[in-house]
Amino acid sequence: MWGVKSGQGIYRYTNDDQNPWVKIPGGLSDIGAAADGTVWGVNSGVRSTATPETSRADPTR
């Protein structure tokens, strides 16, 4: 699971009770993830994908 906060902070859910949300470098105003784990984000009207190591279908890695 992925999310963005005010200020365009990007976060990935880890399913770890000690640290459930990890901040990902960068900034987006909207984010979405496909069934294959591809992550798309929008910032200032430009689309970009997350790097391969952060766009895995398994968010615990």
Side-chain angles (χ1 to χ4, degrees):
M1 180 182 328
W2 293 82
V4 292
K5 287 179 68 174
S6 62
Q8 299 187 350
I10 307 166
Y11 292 85
R12 179 175 54 88
Y13 185 70
T14 65
N15 206 27
D16 175 3
D17 290 338
Q18 298 299 316
N19 191 21
W21 290 95
V22 173
K23 186 165 181 3
I24 304 298
L28 296 171
S29 56
D30 195 12
I31 195 166
D36 68 358
T38 304
V39 178
W40 290 90
V42 177
N43 184 13
S44 300
V46 178
R47 287 194 165 184
S48 63
T49 59
T51 59
E53 57 270 10
T54 60
S55 62
R56 296 189 177 122
D58 181 357
T60 62
R61 296 199 225 169

